[in-house]
Amino acid sequence: MSPLAFMKEGETAEIVGEPLMRRLRHHHGHCCGNVGPSAAYDARCHRGGPGHDHLNDMGLRPGKRVQMIANSGTGPLILLVDESRIALGRGVAMKIYVRRIEA
Amino acid sequence: MADKENEDSQKAASDRKASLVIAVAGNPNAGKSTLINAMAGTRLQVGNWPGVTVEKKSAEFEYSGRRITMVDLPGTYSLSPYTQEEIIARDYLVHERPDVIINVVDATNLERNLYFTLQLLELGIPLVMALNMYDEAEQKGFRINAEMIASTLGCAVIPTVATKGEGIDRLIEMAVEFADPSKRYSSASASYGEDIEKAVQTVVENVRHRGGKPSGHEALRWQALKLIEGDELVLEETGISEDEVFLEKATHHLRKAHGEDLEMLLADTRYGLAAGLTREALQKPEKRKRELTERIDAVVLNRYLGIPVFLLSMWLIFKLTFDIAGPFTDWLDAVISGPLTRWALSLMTLIAVPDWTVSLVTEGMIAGVGAVLVFLPPIFAMMFFITLLEGSGYMARAAFVMDRMMHAIGLHGKSFIPLLLGFGCNVPAVYATRTLENPRDKALTALLIPLMSCGARLPVYVVFTGVFFSAYAGTVLWSLYLLGIMLAVMMGWIFKKTLFRGEAPVFIMELPPYRLPSVKNLLIHTWEKGKHYLIKAGTFILAISIFIWFGLNLPWGVESKKDSYLGLISQAAAPVFAPLGFGTWEAASSLITGVVAKEIVVSTMGEVYAPKACEEEQSEALTVGEDLKEIGVSFAGALGEAAKNVFSTFGIATISAGEEDTTGIKAAIARNFTPLSAYAFMVFVLLYVPCLIVLIAMRHEFGTWKWAGVAIAYQSILAWTVAFIIYQGGRLIGIG
């Protein structure tokens, strides 16, 4: 098991670590409604709202097989998820864990 | 209850001849806008930006005697209430309840698209699925069992190829059939498993019992699911509290068996269903072919080549914009100041209108609007290339390439797209911030957008560079665009350290496959973008021009424009600009009126500096026929010159609007400015307050004047300071 960000170009892996994914959901929280610097910690956000980013909606969830298309070691990377290319920031990619699949 | 429902369906049945509302929903990049264009043909106008649907747009057309209204919802990945686009789509579907939903599905990306389909089905609105890009799926060797999807989900599934118009007729036919209440195709929503269904049942019964079914007729199942998820908006709307006894009871078993996060449980369930159905209905070939998109990306997104490729493409866009548009700008200028003005004059002489009306029409309306209209060619050219960037799929790559740099200013790559759109026009750019998930990003991006030099500022640059810097106009133009970008980086950094502390959130973005957009689609979208500028010229700017004319000619019979109302106000304001090198009342008046829209800066100058030109022009009594011939000949000349520019030069040819300019604006500018003060003036126009329409867009987008206020404040200070540094600094080192 290693962070997604460590996958080399061309490697295929399966996303694991559901607890990690869940924790991530709450890490990168933000919510709708009022706009502004302080909104991120709005009390309303405490439930449901917070961790919503598009990781889940875009198919990046535990059990999903992904292939690394581009990973230059710094900056964002590109994954192939089914037939779509998903660009992902390195920060998140460090927090998602994967299990490599031997080709 | 049953009676009421009966009534409803009877009422609906009697309405059915008249009109139908079809909502079109789907993931971004599924080909929604192309499909809508294909369905509605040329019978309507669809205002949509590929990938960036600016607002919920609707279109109307006739189909077998019925009025069909199609509503284009923003492309989203889910119906959760967390991004503004999702809320727009969701609110529309829940509260307006269209007769039928057309769900545009990317056939090459079934699983993720089906996840969204399942969410749509929860609403209980009849659904017809357009299995779009079917040809691409076939090329990839995919075999999709459409019937299985249809029978599992209880909807119709029509394979379509929107770009070629395939399957479109059948799609409309099915959508209309499904909308028919008498046939009432109820979607036999896929089961979410015994535990969840039981909880749903309990919640539905309780909500029904309370007598409240606040958001519509068949939305009960949807509402129940949302209540189980603990969806804030639905809790709020129904007035049901989260710890209501029945809700607690209904979900008790679920919580015990699956943990507390029921939202996650439902997401898992939907994904499980989508993945299962995809496994059943889709056969993929063993080996995946390396696609053209991947080969292009290998170059375009290469760690060393990425940024040079991006800069080169930007340079090409600017070069082509000015090369192609330049000759046509000159041509338009000649037509407006020559024949058009002459015709208006002869017409007015013919019907013997009073002198002041002649002045209002020629010096106010024609000079004011004309000064702006002249710049239609470069603006349309710029819009065309931006559309090309979006439609081809390169725009998302640019965002990827710029991600690292954007982090320096506390944003990530996705914010780069609205900024890039800003070079066309800041207004849609502000609306495009809607694609950003995070309110902090949205606000910060919107604040930086006005520093991207939009098309409306171009007229000012062109007039001034034409007078003072004609030899190296290209470089001067470039320097202004670049200055805007550099200041955006600086301001972004300052904002990050002050107003917007905190880390930049998750960067996640789909890179759509490269596509060659059809010429037709390109032209439609270019027109959609550019027409606002044209409409603005015909309405807003016309009105302001008339207003300015009165401002310059009242009190009645005022001898010199300087003593007119506008002149007096401008004289009072002029000292503010004196340290910047342009403390004249003429400059002040154009800047004051330019707050409304920046192209007004030139149209005001057109009026302020307009000499009494009417008499001299009349002497060349050409006939209408000769005029028309002249217009045609010079247009052909412009065509030839544009072609020559594109192929012959590598420098940027410049627009020399009205070098033969007879109205004397240029001469007046040459008298009133020095090269140094002209440059300071251009910089000031680049930076000072966003135009009124952008401010309104900010208010509209954020629901508060706060950010518009911040923009006005910081930009005024920035503009004054930078112009001051340039002018005084330039004088210190002995320029100007």
Side-chain angles (χ1 to χ4, degrees):
Chain A
M1 222 167 73
S2 72
L4 183 66
F6 290 175
M7 283 170 70
K8 291 195 192 70
E9 288 175 12
E11 274 186 327
T12 304
E14 187 182 300
I15 296 177
V16 291
E18 193 162 331
L20 279 168
M21 290 292 279
R22 284 194 186 200
R23 213 171 64 212
L24 196 66
R25 275 162 48 85
H26 292 271
H27 249 257
H28 290 275
H30 47 258
C31 79
C32 60
N34 57 31
V35 177
S38 64
Y41 296 103
D42 196 274
R44 274 185 60 197
C45 295
H46 220 68
R47 225 201 94 104
H52 199 93
D53 41 54
H54 282 186
L55 286 179
N56 260 287
D57 301 333
M58 293 177 95
L60 284 174
R61 46 196 353 271
K64 192 82 207 169
R65 275 190 188 202
V66 296
Q67 192 192 335
M68 183 63 70
I69 300 184
N71 185 356
S72 64
T74 56
L77 37 84
I78 305 174
L79 291 172
L80 187 69
V81 183
D82 288 327
E83 289 299 311
S84 59
R85 278 156 284 268
I86 308 281
L88 198 64
R90 188 153 295 268
V92 214
M94 285 301 288
K95 291 179 185 129
I96 299 175
Y97 277 67
V98 295
R99 185 183 300 118
R100 286 192 179 75
I101 294 165
E102 304 304 321
Chain B
M1 186 72 48
D3 286 351
K4 177 128 197 324
E5 260 163 24
N6 222 346
E7 234 174 72
D8 280 348
S9 70
Q10 268 172 12
K11 190 175 146 283
S14 64
D15 283 347
R16 87 163 175 251
K17 281 260 141 46
S19 61
L20 277 183
V21 180
I22 302 177
V24 185
N27 278 188
N29 305 312
K32 233 157 37 72
S33 34
T34 317
L35 190 93
I36 291 178
N37 283 336
M39 272 195 280
T42 50
R43 282 163 287 187
L44 59 90
Q45 293 171 345
V46 180
N48 189 6
W49 303 53
V52 196
T53 299
V54 174
E55 268 175 281
K56 187 188 70 199
K57 288 279 162 79
S58 60
E60 289 196 7
F61 64 97
E62 294 276 334
Y63 178 80
S64 64
R66 286 182 183 191
R67 186 115 215 99
I68 309 256
T69 306
M70 238 173 356
V71 178
D72 181 16
L73 297 176
T76 57
Y77 294 104
S78 87
L79 280 187
S80 62
Y82 304 122
T83 76
Q84 213 165 347
E85 304 203 297
E86 287 167 353
I87 294 176
I88 292 171
R90 180 176 135 128
D91 275 358
Y92 180 79
L93 292 170
V94 173
H95 298 301
E96 314 282 321
R97 290 195 73 81
D99 297 299
V100 61
I101 298 174
I102 289 182
N103 174 209
V104 187
V105 160
D106 175 357
T108 66
N109 217 324
L110 212 48
E111 187 178 298
R112 193 189 67 206
N113 280 266
L114 285 178
Y115 175 71
F116 184 61
T117 307
L118 283 166
Q119 296 186 44
L120 290 175
L121 283 169
E122 287 169 9
L123 292 160
I125 300 169
L127 185 140
V128 176
M129 184 190 294
L131 203 51
N132 199 27
M133 308 198 209
Y134 200 74
D135 55 340
E136 281 183 36
E138 277 180 332
Q139 268 165 32
K140 284 175 189 273
F142 285 16
R143 284 169 58 191
I144 302 171
N145 188 341
E147 254 161 53
M148 180 185 284
I149 300 174
S151 63
T152 311
L153 299 179
C155 61
V157 179
I158 316 290
T160 55
V161 183
T163 46
K164 295 175 192 152
E166 284 170 27
I168 301 300
D169 292 339
R170 180 107 184 88
L171 185 67
I172 300 179
E173 196 185 309
M174 281 314 272
V176 170
E177 192 177 318
F178 262 55
D180 221 327
S182 63
K183 294 194 180 152
R184 188 57 73 182
Y185 283 83
S186 72
S187 33
S189 52
S191 167
Y192 283 1
E194 205 182 326
D195 287 354
I196 295 174
E197 293 300 336
K198 229 184 208 158
V200 169
Q201 199 59 41
T202 319
V203 176
V204 166
E205 272 161 26
N206 275 285
V207 172
R208 199 171 264 174
H209 209 69
R210 292 166 125 248
K213 39 175 200 166
S215 51
H217 313 273
E218 293 87 359
L220 273 171
R221 177 185 159 80
W222 180 80
Q223 224 172 58
L225 282 166
K226 293 292 143 187
L227 287 172
I228 292 171
E229 282 181 350
D231 184 297
E232 313 244 346
L233 286 180
V234 173
L235 285 168
E236 210 171 280
E237 278 167 15
T238 53
I240 292 172
S241 123
E242 225 183 305
D243 31 56
E244 199 97 13
V245 182
F246 79 85
L247 202 55
E248 200 64 40
K249 250 187 180 156
T251 57
H252 178 74
H253 177 66
L254 283 179
R255 287 177 200 282
K256 247 176 69 184
H258 305 279
E260 286 295 312
D261 194 346
L262 295 183
E263 193 190 357
M264 192 72 175
L265 169 71
L266 279 165
D268 285 344
T269 308
R270 290 186 197 105
Y271 242 108
L273 271 169
L277 182 54
T278 306
R279 262 198 307 279
E280 297 288 319
L282 169 67
Q283 258 186 297
K284 279 190 191 184
E286 284 288 307
K287 266 233 176 295
R288 221 180 143 267
K289 275 181 279 182
R290 188 170 148 88
E291 288 162 24
L292 182 64
T293 293
E294 280 154 51
R295 281 192 293 249
I296 298 174
D297 274 347
V299 178
V300 165
L301 301 180
N302 179 285
R303 130 178 45 161
Y304 305 109
L305 293 177
I307 288 180
V309 166
F310 169 70
L311 291 177
L312 184 74
S313 46
M314 289 314 287
W315 181 80
L316 262 177
I317 286 177
F318 280 99
K319 175 185 152 51
L320 288 174
T321 298
F322 296 126
D323 278 358
I324 294 171
F328 293 104
T329 302
D330 294 346
W331 171 77
L332 255 181
D333 188 47
V335 170
I336 292 172
S337 62
L340 210 67
T341 312
R342 273 203 298 277
W343 295 342
L345 277 172
S346 343
L347 196 71
M348 284 185 293
T349 326
L350 206 69
I351 54 174
V353 294
D355 277 355
W356 70 268
T357 316
V358 176
S359 161
L360 172 65
V361 172
T362 55
E363 287 165 40
M365 290 153 75
I366 297 182
V369 176
V372 171
L373 276 186
V374 163
F375 295 96
L376 280 179
I379 283 160
F380 269 90
M382 184 69 102
M383 299 295 188
F384 176 84
F385 288 115
I386 286 178
T387 309
L388 186 66
L389 277 188
E390 286 179 292
S392 65
Y394 184 72
M395 191 75 104
R397 269 74 183 181
F400 179 86
V401 167
M402 296 303 285
D403 181 61
R404 241 173 298 179
M405 287 192 189
M406 296 297 286
H407 274 288
I409 60 173
L411 290 169
H412 59 55
K414 222 167 158 181
S415 292
F416 189 67
I417 296 177
L419 291 177
L420 201 57
L421 289 174
F423 286 121
C425 173
N426 286 181
V427 175
V430 168
Y431 285 115
T433 59
R434 192 170 284 187
T435 53
L436 304 170
E437 294 89 0
N438 183 302
R440 170 193 170 277
D441 286 18
K442 260 181 71 99
L444 178 50
T445 309
L447 280 182
L448 298 179
I449 284 170
L451 299 180
M452 303 295 117
S453 189
C454 66
R457 276 165 260 190
L458 200 57
V460 184
Y461 306 157
V462 171
V463 167
F464 277 81
T465 49
V467 174
F468 293 104
F469 310 104
S470 51
Y472 34 97
T475 321
V476 169
L477 266 178
W478 252 120
S479 74
L480 288 163
Y481 280 95
L482 222 62
L483 182 72
I485 296 169
M486 274 157 37
L487 289 171
V489 171
M490 186 189 87
M491 288 313 297
W493 189 82
I494 292 173
F495 282 136
K496 179 187 158 191
K497 296 282 175 200
T498 53
L499 275 177
F500 297 90
R501 267 179 285 232
E503 56 174 326
V506 176
F507 171 49
I508 178 165
M509 185 182 62
E510 187 175 0
L511 302 178
Y514 288 107
R515 294 204 169 91
L516 199 63
S518 74
V519 176
K520 187 182 143 209
N521 264 313
L522 271 181
L523 292 181
I524 288 176
H525 291 302
T526 305
W527 169 245
E528 286 299 328
K529 285 184 186 127
K531 80 171 183 203
H532 299 291
Y533 190 84
L534 195 61
I535 293 170
K536 196 163 68 164
T539 53
F540 220 55
I541 302 213
L542 178 64
I544 300 284
S545 297
I546 294 171
F547 182 80
I548 292 169
W549 185 88
F550 279 108
L552 287 171
N553 288 281
L554 291 179
W556 203 244
V558 64
E559 272 300 303
S560 147
K561 287 173 181 171
K562 199 175 169 182
D563 300 323
S564 65
Y565 287 142
L566 185 61
L568 290 173
I569 295 170
S570 307
Q571 280 184 57
V576 176
F577 305 112
L580 315 180
F582 40 88
T584 62
W585 76 268
E586 291 96 338
S589 70
S590 63
L591 289 172
I592 292 169
T593 50
V595 170
V596 178
K598 295 210 174 173
E599 57 268 51
I600 288 177
V601 171
V602 255
S603 57
T604 304
M605 288 198 159
E607 294 188 43
V608 169
Y609 288 135
K612 303 279 175 206
C614 326
E615 287 82 18
E616 335 161 3
E617 298 243 348
Q618 259 171 328
S619 55
E620 329 165 21
L622 291 172
T623 66
V624 174
E626 279 168 319
D627 272 340
L628 282 176
K629 194 176 145 209
E630 178 57 32
I631 293 172
V633 170
S634 57
F635 183 77
L639 260 180
E641 204 176 318
K644 201 181 75 198
N645 279 346
V646 172
F647 295 107
S648 67
T649 59
F650 279 95
I652 296 176
T654 47
I655 301 166
S656 50
E659 239 160 45
E660 318 79 28
D661 169 292
T662 46
T663 53
I665 304 175
K666 296 218 163 184
I669 289 175
R671 274 197 306 276
N672 284 287
F673 287 84
T674 65
L676 183 62
S677 69
Y679 194 78
F681 186 79
M682 287 191 284
V683 168
F684 193 84
V685 170
L686 163 69
L687 301 173
Y688 90 122
V689 301
C691 75
L692 196 64
I693 310 170
V694 170
L695 293 173
I696 292 169
M698 286 183 177
R699 161 74 179 76
H700 186 202
E701 200 51 27
F702 294 102
T704 156
W705 285 107
K706 179 179 170 190
W707 300 115
V710 173
I712 294 175
Y714 99 81
Q715 285 191 255
S716 310
I717 297 169
L718 187 70
W720 199 90
T721 313
V722 176
F724 180 84
I725 292 171
I726 287 173
Y727 183 67
Q728 298 297 344
R731 291 218 317 177
L732 269 182
I733 58 170
I735 318 170

